[in-house]
Amino acid sequence: MQLVRLTVLSLMVALVVSNSHTVERGDCHVSVVFNDCERHPRDCTDILDRDSQAKSGEYTIDPHDGGKPIRVDCDMVTDGGGWTVFQRREDGRTDFYRNWAAYKTGFGKLNTEHWLGNDNIYRITSAGHFELRIDMTTFDNESAYARYGTFRIGNEGTNYKLMIGTYTGDAGDSLTYHNNFQFSTFDRDNDNSSGSPCAVTYKGAWWYDSCHWSNLNGLYMNGPIKEYANGVIWQTWKSYYYSLKTTEMKIRRLKYAQPHIIRLNPFPGSAFIYTIVSPDLLHLFSGFSLNNIQLVKMFVRSIILSLMVALVVSSSHTVDRDDCHVSVVVNDCEKHARDCTDILERDSQAQSGEYTIDPHDGGKPIRVYCDMVTDGGGWTVFQRRENGTTDFYRGWAAYKTGFGSINSEHWLGNDNIYRITSAGHFELRIDMTTFDNESAYARYGTFRIGNECTNYKLMIGTYTGDAGDSLSFHNNQQFSTSDRDNDVYSDKSCAVQYKGAWWYAKCHASNLNGLYLGGNTKEYATGVVWKTWKTHYYSLKTTEMKIRRLK
């Protein structure tokens, strides 16, 4: 039975997981690549990633687990947005003292009071790593929040067991007491109390221990109460004798979970294999009797067997589904490093210059320029301006594939930048000089772009440097060119107006692919601009944009 379920799971993974996984042996590897152009977004975080202007409200999501899409309410405002709401209390119009079946499937109205349903919460949190935020208010309009670094629940077989991480916030921690406990309703007692069921005693449904520090699905009782702990309670903020006015429980997907590295020898007598497995993949194995590591090993063995068969027929297979695809690629022993960081790790004496790299994603190797000097070296250069000999006012196709000469002015290509930054976590550094030989730099703690389905959406982290921050204005924006307008300006095309190609918003604080104008200019913002350093009326002499893998 385990083998049958594992086979089914393998097929599900091929259809729904949007990651790439690599099995390596020495310099050899097998890559299984899953592309992520899915019809419905996975959650509200995904919606905001696709459209940074998305508003709070109702949306349809799909955890890509083979189940039906789910209708949810998204909070796109609080703390950067991207929150999927699964519980709301606000006026007492909805009865929350309900049974197991009601909490399993959900009830209420999404735009007002509701519980999304334990099955749905499980499905969503099984598709990635999530944090939890709980916002609360009193009838005196005081507000507080509690935040937990991780959040997920088990499936019905575990009675929707609660698993949360570290608390931060100003409401006090009234949920950690319930960590690792099962969900209870008045007709399904899973608490740890030796007396009467907590759900019956305190008129709610919750992850009761014996009994509670919080009871956000309790009776709606309008502020101060005489009944001990029966209301909408968050004990560390307003005690057991105060029932809150509003509560909103919501989750947001964490974007930078660390991979698991597993060592195994797949078959008797074979060499050991190291496999890099996404934590999101591990969640798919919940509900099996074996532990996760054993199951991943079984899963990898099944993939290897499939690939061995595939070798007899071909070295590459692609299954298309609408505009999405799954590719299984078997490569021979790889000699190319993944990026310039990898090159420097292999040879600490490596010099700056041209190299061939391979992100090990099944695509072709990429010719790049490596900066092995600046700030410790290991930088993969993807843009350089230095003398104006190369025209940067080009169309979408040119920026997609790249242009110019690697050792002088060039753009590496958005497809290549996506492939490289999808193979790890990277930082960005931008070095700039003026025609008076002044120099400055900007550095961003993280950097990646989406694929063409997202219009190469920009995602960057915290700024440091001495040039000022002229890129965070463009964070979460899509790439635009003269023939592909993806900016948020409703009246005009920023790429056309300012003669460049960039992650324009409305319109720009930087324009490093703008016209090469030779220093001071009367033309507003059309040059090679970094506004916070030299204003919109100065076109820089040199720029170099480069990324380095975080170790």
Side-chain angles (χ1 to χ4, degrees), residues 426-447:
F426 288 80
E427 61 181 321
L428 168 69
R429 180 178 174 116
I430 306 172
D431 286 300
M432 305 165 249
T433 67
T434 69
F435 286 86
D436 297 319
N437 294 321
E438 297 176 90
S439 62
Y441 77 97
R443 189 168 178 171
Y444 295 86
T446 59
F447 171 86

Side-chain angles (χ1 to χ4, degrees), residues 345-369:
E345 287 174 351
R346 296 182 182 192
D347 177 9
S348 61
Q349 303 303 310
Q351 303 296 307
S352 296
E354 293 188 33
Y355 293 87
T356 299
I357 65 169
D358 184 349
H360 298 173
D361 59 355
K364 294 180 180 179
I366 306 167
R367 194 69 176 165
V368 299
Y369 188 90

Side-chain angles (χ1 to χ4, degrees), residues 161-164 176-182:
K161 179 180 176 181
L162 175 68
M163 290 156 277
I164 58 171
T176 298
Y177 173 78
H178 300 271
N179 194 25
N180 291 313
F181 283 93
Q182 301 171 42

Side-chain angles (χ1 to χ4, degrees), residues 71-83:
R71 195 71 177 164
V72 299
D73 186 72
C74 295
D75 174 359
M76 300 304 195
V77 176
T78 305
D79 189 28
W83 298 96

